[in-house]
Amino acid sequence: MSLKVDKVSSNKCFGGELSKYKFNSPALGGLEAQFNVFIPEVTKIHPAPVLYYLAGLTCNEDTGAWKGGFIRDAADEGIALVFADTSPRGAGVEDEDKDWDFGTGAGFYINATQTKFQKHYNMYDHIVKDLPDAITALGISLDLSRSSIFGHSMGGHGALSIYLLNLDKFLSASAFSAIFNPSNPECAWGKKAFSGYLNGGQEEGKAHDATELVRNAKGKNVHILADYGDADQFYKQKQLLPENFVTAAKEAGFDEQAVHVREHAGYDHSYYFISTFAPVHVKCESESELSTSIDTRRLTLSNYL
């Protein structure tokens, strides 16, 4: 049975249209969920590839669309953007609104196994299953077989882990200031999320940890770009741990053509950082979706540095 998806609002921008939709999400226990879709003008001629954006803690489906600076470049590249929410809304779970980094606005892009969160907190299934089904139900000219995914902070964790768990569904992934190793004891955000949502805590959380997943992806064809700033306060607090991810990728035999992680001097965790490097990420995802060579993608990167 197809989902019933309703349009909430629409704005014309960069020759295309940014629209907000709502539907009752099966993965979120039937709660209403909202998402934004930028549909480029090129869809009047042929279907557009799709790039999903996952936002970070406290954010929602509007954050990336308003602040990321992605839409102009997506319009130029003929890419559709899908902006997801970060958690279920109105689940009514005890203490879900107590802290800014857990519960509402902090679903961590996993499926909960703790009993009180299990019905509604299934953001992994919401992203991987419900959103593609909702987009299909809209009947718009998008090519879901050419999908990629990117995100920021908690959303960077979500993008990298979801990509590595679904290499058959996504062509590439990229991330800004990702939580690269959330099952590591040094990562307080990961410890809080995994111990709160999962019966098995951080041990169970390893199944959704990009560092563990890239280590186990040896021999597979992966395309990952990740950026972070050395002035990021959360990098300094050991919340991100990109070095662990880089080490695991090298141990799995991936060179920088496959997994490219870049440190940027002086940049922080904000959307000022994201918008600075947004064109590189959109361009790289575009060329992956068009099945160009990884060498061409690296050449494109050099043009933006």
Side-chain angles (χ1 to χ4, degrees):
M1 182 177 178
S2 63
L3 296 173
K4 181 180 183 296
V5 184
D6 297 316
K7 182 180 282 189
V8 177
S9 63
S10 182
N11 298 94
K12 186 176 179 65
C13 57
F14 299 106
E17 182 180 273
L18 178 68
S19 297
K20 181 187 288 288
Y21 296 95
K22 65 179 181 180
F23 71 105
N24 295 114
S25 169
L28 305 185
L31 291 176
E32 182 179 287
Q34 297 189 343
F35 64 100
N36 288 304
V37 181
F38 170 70
I39 304 169
E41 192 173 21
V42 73
T43 57
K44 297 175 182 177
I45 303 171
H46 57 73
V50 178
L51 177 56
Y52 293 85
Y53 180 74
L54 308 184
L57 296 163
T58 75
C59 297
N60 60 27
E61 73 280 0
D62 294 325
T63 311
W66 290 352
K67 298 167 66 176
F70 307 122
I71 295 178
R72 182 193 299 271
D73 295 289
D76 288 344
E77 297 296 327
I79 295 177
L81 296 170
V82 177
F83 299 94
D85 204 349
T86 56
S87 77
R89 303 283 168 172
V93 179
E94 182 183 4
D95 293 332
E96 70 176 343
D97 296 320
K98 181 179 178 181
D99 296 323
W100 67 274
D101 55 356
F102 183 81
T104 302
F108 232 73
Y109 303 107
I110 58 177
N111 290 340
T113 55
Q114 285 275 13
T115 301
K116 73 176 185 177
F117 292 104
Q118 200 166 17
K119 180 178 180 180
H120 298 296
Y121 278 76
N122 300 298
M123 288 301 294
Y124 174 87
D125 280 352
H126 178 70
I127 301 300
V128 174
K129 298 178 181 179
D130 286 1
L131 280 183
D133 287 348
I135 292 166
T136 299
L138 291 174
I140 52 182
S141 184
L142 303 183
D143 185 356
L144 293 176
S145 70
R146 293 187 292 154
S147 293
S148 293
I149 189 167
F150 71 150
H152 170 235
S153 192
M154 176 185 71
H157 141 73
L160 295 177
S161 61
I162 287 173
Y163 167 68
L164 288 165
L165 287 166
N166 296 275
L167 293 173
D168 59 328
K169 291 183 173 68
F170 299 98
L171 299 175
S172 64
S174 71
F176 305 92
S177 312
I179 306 171
F180 289 94
N181 192 192
S183 69
N184 189 293
E186 289 188 288
C187 179
W189 281 339
K191 182 177 181 180
K192 189 169 188 175
F194 290 156
S195 63
Y197 293 131
L198 303 177
N199 284 325
Q202 286 173 288
E203 187 63 30
E204 185 178 351
K206 288 181 179 180
H208 293 274
D209 184 318
T211 295
E212 299 295 331
L213 291 168
V214 78
R215 180 180 288 115
N216 294 327
K218 184 175 182 177
K220 296 180 180 178
N221 188 25
V222 303
H223 304 299
I224 293 172
L225 170 67
D227 287 321
Y228 69 96
D230 68 1
D232 186 323
Q233 68 192 85
F234 301 114
Y235 168 65
K236 295 177 181 178
Q237 292 171 9
K238 305 294 184 182
Q239 298 279 25
L240 309 185
L241 301 172
E243 295 87 355
N244 295 356
F245 181 78
V246 171
T247 297
K250 289 180 178 178
E251 289 174 354
F254 296 118
D255 60 18
E256 289 191 356
Q257 300 296 312
V259 178
H260 196 46
V261 180
R262 308 184 303 174
E263 179 183 275
H264 299 277
Y267 284 94
D268 58 21
H269 201 75
S270 72
Y271 270 81
Y272 297 110
F273 167 59
I274 294 171
S275 60
T276 300
F277 296 98
V280 184
H281 286 245
V282 173
K283 183 75 173 177
C284 285
E285 305 291 5
S286 168
E287 294 184 347
S288 176
E289 286 155 354
L290 292 171
S291 299
T292 57
S293 71
I294 191 69
D295 291 334
T296 303
R297 294 175 70 228
R298 292 280 78 81
L299 177 61
T300 302
L301 258 180
S302 68
N303 292 339
Y304 283 93
L305 297 178

mmCIF file of all heavy atoms in Angstrom, residues 136-165:
data_model
loop_
_atom_site.group_PDB
_atom_site.id
_atom_site.type_symbol
_atom_site.label_atom_id
_atom_site.label_comp_id
_atom_site.label_asym_id
_atom_site.label_seq_id
_atom_site.Cartn_x
_atom_site.Cartn_y
_atom_site.Cartn_z
ATOM 1 N N THR A 136 8.529 8.080 -3.894
ATOM 2 C CA THR A 136 7.887 7.303 -4.965
ATOM 3 C C THR A 136 6.401 7.626 -5.048
ATOM 4 O O THR A 136 5.835 7.766 -6.144
ATOM 5 C CB THR A 136 8.092 5.803 -4.722
ATOM 6 O OG1 THR A 136 9.499 5.511 -4.718
ATOM 7 C CG2 THR A 136 7.408 4.974 -5.797
ATOM 8 N N ALA A 137 5.765 7.759 -3.893
ATOM 9 C CA ALA A 137 4.331 8.044 -3.855
ATOM 10 C C ALA A 137 4.003 9.402 -4.464
ATOM 11 O O ALA A 137 2.886 9.600 -4.973
ATOM 12 C CB ALA A 137 3.822 7.986 -2.417
ATOM 13 N N LEU A 138 4.950 10.331 -4.433
ATOM 14 C CA LEU A 138 4.717 11.657 -5.010
ATOM 15 C C LEU A 138 4.624 11.609 -6.530
ATOM 16 O O LEU A 138 4.021 12.483 -7.144
ATOM 17 C CB LEU A 138 5.834 12.619 -4.597
ATOM 18 C CG LEU A 138 5.880 13.030 -3.135
ATOM 19 C CD1 LEU A 138 7.138 13.858 -2.857
ATOM 20 C CD2 LEU A 138 4.644 13.832 -2.762
ATOM 21 N N GLY A 139 5.279 10.618 -7.137
ATOM 22 C CA GLY A 139 5.221 10.485 -8.586
ATOM 23 C C GLY A 139 6.010 11.551 -9.328
ATOM 24 O O GLY A 139 5.751 11.809 -10.504
ATOM 25 N N ILE A 140 6.975 12.182 -8.667
ATOM 26 C CA ILE A 140 7.777 13.202 -9.332
ATOM 27 C C ILE A 140 8.957 12.556 -10.056
ATOM 28 O O ILE A 140 9.310 11.415 -9.806
ATOM 29 C CB ILE A 140 8.276 14.267 -8.331
ATOM 30 C CG1 ILE A 140 8.971 13.613 -7.134
ATOM 31 C CG2 ILE A 140 7.109 15.119 -7.853
ATOM 32 C CD1 ILE A 140 9.456 14.601 -6.086
ATOM 33 N N SER A 141 9.567 13.324 -10.951
ATOM 34 C CA SER A 141 10.575 12.783 -11.862
ATOM 35 C C SER A 141 11.956 12.729 -11.200
ATOM 36 O O SER A 141 12.851 13.516 -11.501
ATOM 37 C CB SER A 141 10.636 13.634 -13.132
ATOM 38 O OG SER A 141 11.548 13.078 -14.064
ATOM 39 N N LEU A 142 12.096 11.771 -10.270
ATOM 40 C CA LEU A 142 13.370 11.555 -9.597
ATOM 41 C C LEU A 142 13.822 10.121 -9.815
ATOM 42 O O LEU A 142 12.995 9.205 -9.870
ATOM 43 C CB LEU A 142 13.248 11.835 -8.096
ATOM 44 C CG LEU A 142 12.760 13.218 -7.685
ATOM 45 C CD1 LEU A 142 12.767 13.362 -6.170
ATOM 46 C CD2 LEU A 142 13.580 14.322 -8.326
ATOM 47 N N ASP A 143 15.132 9.932 -9.931
ATOM 48 C CA ASP A 143 15.703 8.606 -10.178
ATOM 49 C C ASP A 143 16.342 8.091 -8.896
ATOM 50 O O ASP A 143 17.506 8.385 -8.603
ATOM 51 C CB ASP A 143 16.736 8.692 -11.301
ATOM 52 C CG ASP A 143 17.289 7.332 -11.691
ATOM 53 O OD1 ASP A 143 16.936 6.325 -11.038
ATOM 54 O OD2 ASP A 143 18.081 7.279 -12.653
ATOM 55 N N LEU A 144 15.585 7.310 -8.137
ATOM 56 C CA LEU A 144 16.085 6.806 -6.857
ATOM 57 C C LEU A 144 17.195 5.774 -7.022
ATOM 58 O O LEU A 144 17.896 5.467 -6.055
ATOM 59 C CB LEU A 144 14.932 6.203 -6.050
ATOM 60 C CG LEU A 144 13.877 7.197 -5.560
ATOM 61 C CD1 LEU A 144 12.737 6.465 -4.863
ATOM 62 C CD2 LEU A 144 14.485 8.234 -4.628
ATOM 63 N N SER A 145 17.374 5.240 -8.218
ATOM 64 C CA SER A 145 18.475 4.303 -8.442
ATOM 65 C C SER A 145 19.817 5.030 -8.467
ATOM 66 O O SER A 145 20.873 4.403 -8.421
ATOM 67 C CB SER A 145 18.277 3.542 -9.759
ATOM 68 O OG SER A 145 18.465 4.397 -10.881
ATOM 69 N N ARG A 146 19.786 6.352 -8.538
ATOM 70 C CA ARG A 146 21.008 7.179 -8.488
ATOM 71 C C ARG A 146 20.919 8.078 -7.257
ATOM 72 O O ARG A 146 20.738 9.282 -7.343
ATOM 73 C CB ARG A 146 21.168 8.006 -9.763
ATOM 74 C CG ARG A 146 21.434 7.173 -11.010
ATOM 75 C CD ARG A 146 21.755 8.065 -12.195
ATOM 76 N NE ARG A 146 20.597 8.844 -12.601
ATOM 77 C CZ ARG A 146 20.673 10.023 -13.226
ATOM 78 N NH1 ARG A 146 21.850 10.574 -13.469
ATOM 79 N NH2 ARG A 146 19.574 10.666 -13.589
ATOM 80 N N SER A 147 21.030 7.449 -6.094
ATOM 81 C CA SER A 147 20.938 8.175 -4.828
ATOM 82 C C SER A 147 22.280 8.194 -4.112
ATOM 83 O O SER A 147 23.022 7.205 -4.127
ATOM 84 C CB SER A 147 19.904 7.517 -3.906
ATOM 85 O OG SER A 147 18.595 7.633 -4.422
ATOM 86 N N SER A 148 22.565 9.313 -3.471
ATOM 87 C CA SER A 148 23.715 9.451 -2.581
ATOM 88 C C SER A 148 23.230 10.111 -1.297
ATOM 89 O O SER A 148 22.079 10.544 -1.204
ATOM 90 C CB SER A 148 24.824 10.271 -3.233
ATOM 91 O OG SER A 148 25.384 9.575 -4.337
ATOM 92 N N ILE A 149 24.112 10.202 -0.305
ATOM 93 C CA ILE A 149 23.688 10.689 1.008
ATOM 94 C C ILE A 149 24.818 11.462 1.669
ATOM 95 O O ILE A 149 25.991 11.100 1.523
ATOM 96 C CB ILE A 149 23.218 9.501 1.884
ATOM 97 C CG1 ILE A 149 22.550 9.975 3.179
ATOM 98 C CG2 ILE A 149 24.359 8.519 2.156
ATOM 99 C CD1 ILE A 149 21.793 8.863 3.904
ATOM 100 N N PHE A 150 24.472 12.587 2.338
ATOM 101 C CA PHE A 150 25.479 13.333 3.087
ATOM 102 C C PHE A 150 24.826 13.953 4.311
ATOM 103 O O PHE A 150 23.605 13.962 4.452
ATOM 104 C CB PHE A 150 26.212 14.348 2.218
ATOM 105 C CG PHE A 150 25.464 15.577 1.758
ATOM 106 C CD1 PHE A 150 26.138 16.765 1.543
ATOM 107 C CD2 PHE A 150 24.101 15.557 1.489
ATOM 108 C CE1 PHE A 150 25.488 17.916 1.102
ATOM 109 C CE2 PHE A 150 23.438 16.695 1.048
ATOM 110 C CZ PHE A 150 24.132 17.875 0.854
ATOM 111 N N GLY A 151 25.672 14.445 5.240
ATOM 112 C CA GLY A 151 25.111 14.982 6.463
ATOM 113 C C GLY A 151 26.153 15.689 7.306
ATOM 114 O O GLY A 151 27.346 15.685 7.002
ATOM 115 N N HIS A 152 25.664 16.275 8.409
ATOM 116 C CA HIS A 152 26.500 17.064 9.311
ATOM 117 C C HIS A 152 26.406 16.540 10.730
ATOM 118 O O HIS A 152 25.302 16.264 11.219
ATOM 119 C CB HIS A 152 26.045 18.527 9.281
ATOM 120 C CG HIS A 152 26.672 19.391 10.325
ATOM 121 N ND1 HIS A 152 25.935 20.133 11.227
ATOM 122 C CD2 HIS A 152 27.984 19.643 10.630
ATOM 123 C CE1 HIS A 152 26.744 20.803 12.019
ATOM 124 N NE2 HIS A 152 27.995 20.526 11.689
ATOM 125 N N SER A 153 27.545 16.389 11.399
ATOM 126 C CA SER A 153 27.612 16.030 12.813
ATOM 127 C C SER A 153 26.897 14.692 13.062
ATOM 128 O O SER A 153 27.309 13.668 12.534
ATOM 129 C CB SER A 153 27.028 17.170 13.654
ATOM 130 O OG SER A 153 27.306 16.995 15.022
ATOM 131 N N MET A 154 25.817 14.679 13.850
ATOM 132 C CA MET A 154 25.036 13.451 13.988
ATOM 133 C C MET A 154 24.569 12.960 12.624
ATOM 134 O O MET A 154 24.532 11.751 12.354
ATOM 135 C CB MET A 154 23.829 13.694 14.900
ATOM 136 C CG MET A 154 22.890 12.498 15.045
ATOM 137 S SD MET A 154 21.386 12.855 16.000
ATOM 138 C CE MET A 154 20.480 13.907 14.841
ATOM 139 N N GLY A 155 24.228 13.894 11.742
ATOM 140 C CA GLY A 155 23.818 13.521 10.393
ATOM 141 C C GLY A 155 24.966 13.000 9.550
ATOM 142 O O GLY A 155 24.756 12.197 8.632
ATOM 143 N N GLY A 156 26.196 13.456 9.838
ATOM 144 C CA GLY A 156 27.361 12.880 9.173
ATOM 145 C C GLY A 156 27.548 11.438 9.582
ATOM 146 O O GLY A 156 27.851 10.571 8.754
ATOM 147 N N HIS A 157 27.381 11.172 10.894
ATOM 148 C CA HIS A 157 27.366 9.784 11.373
ATOM 149 C C HIS A 157 26.298 8.988 10.640
ATOM 150 O O HIS A 157 26.549 7.876 10.148
ATOM 151 C CB HIS A 157 27.106 9.748 12.882
ATOM 152 C CG HIS A 157 26.221 8.640 13.341
ATOM 153 N ND1 HIS A 157 26.624 7.316 13.396
ATOM 154 C CD2 HIS A 157 24.906 8.658 13.732
ATOM 155 C CE1 HIS A 157 25.608 6.569 13.812
ATOM 156 N NE2 HIS A 157 24.569 7.354 14.017
ATOM 157 N N GLY A 158 25.088 9.554 10.550
ATOM 158 C CA GLY A 158 24.002 8.853 9.878
ATOM 159 C C GLY A 158 24.302 8.574 8.422
ATOM 160 O O GLY A 158 24.084 7.467 7.927
ATOM 161 N N ALA A 159 24.823 9.582 7.720
ATOM 162 C CA ALA A 159 25.113 9.415 6.297
ATOM 163 C C ALA A 159 26.170 8.337 6.053
ATOM 164 O O ALA A 159 26.004 7.461 5.193
ATOM 165 C CB ALA A 159 25.567 10.746 5.704
ATOM 166 N N LEU A 160 27.268 8.392 6.811
ATOM 167 C CA LEU A 160 28.343 7.422 6.604
ATOM 168 C C LEU A 160 27.908 6.007 6.975
ATOM 169 O O LEU A 160 28.178 5.048 6.245
ATOM 170 C CB LEU A 160 29.572 7.823 7.423
ATOM 171 C CG LEU A 160 30.260 9.128 7.024
ATOM 172 C CD1 LEU A 160 31.410 9.433 7.977
ATOM 173 C CD2 LEU A 160 30.749 9.081 5.584
ATOM 174 N N SER A 161 27.228 5.869 8.106
ATOM 175 C CA SER A 161 26.825 4.525 8.547
ATOM 176 C C SER A 161 25.741 3.949 7.653
ATOM 177 O O SER A 161 25.797 2.760 7.283
ATOM 178 C CB SER A 161 26.374 4.550 10.011
ATOM 179 O OG SER A 161 25.264 5.402 10.205
ATOM 180 N N ILE A 162 24.762 4.756 7.281
ATOM 181 C CA ILE A 162 23.697 4.269 6.398
ATOM 182 C C ILE A 162 24.268 3.888 5.036
ATOM 183 O O ILE A 162 23.898 2.858 4.460
ATOM 184 C CB ILE A 162 22.579 5.318 6.275
ATOM 185 C CG1 ILE A 162 21.772 5.376 7.586
ATOM 186 C CG2 ILE A 162 21.657 5.014 5.107
ATOM 187 C CD1 ILE A 162 20.758 6.493 7.648
ATOM 188 N N TYR A 163 25.176 4.700 4.523
ATOM 189 C CA TYR A 163 25.821 4.377 3.250
ATOM 190 C C TYR A 163 26.570 3.048 3.326
ATOM 191 O O TYR A 163 26.392 2.169 2.465
ATOM 192 C CB TYR A 163 26.779 5.499 2.873
ATOM 193 C CG TYR A 163 27.726 5.158 1.741
ATOM 194 C CD1 TYR A 163 27.256 4.962 0.444
ATOM 195 C CD2 TYR A 163 29.096 5.027 1.969
ATOM 196 C CE1 TYR A 163 28.121 4.662 -0.588
ATOM 197 C CE2 TYR A 163 29.967 4.731 0.939
ATOM 198 C CZ TYR A 163 29.477 4.542 -0.341
ATOM 199 O OH TYR A 163 30.339 4.231 -1.361
ATOM 200 N N LEU A 164 27.382 2.887 4.342
ATOM 201 C CA LEU A 164 28.196 1.675 4.451
ATOM 202 C C LEU A 164 27.357 0.429 4.712
ATOM 203 O O LEU A 164 27.785 -0.690 4.397
ATOM 204 C CB LEU A 164 29.246 1.854 5.550
ATOM 205 C CG LEU A 164 30.382 2.825 5.189
ATOM 206 C CD1 LEU A 164 31.162 3.241 6.431
ATOM 207 C CD2 LEU A 164 31.310 2.216 4.139
ATOM 208 N N LEU A 165 26.165 0.599 5.248
ATOM 209 C CA LEU A 165 25.247 -0.521 5.445
ATOM 210 C C LEU A 165 24.370 -0.786 4.223
ATOM 211 O O LEU A 165 23.683 -1.810 4.166
ATOM 212 C CB LEU A 165 24.347 -0.259 6.657
ATOM 213 C CG LEU A 165 25.021 -0.369 8.023
ATOM 214 C CD1 LEU A 165 24.131 0.248 9.110
ATOM 215 C CD2 LEU A 165 25.313 -1.832 8.354
#
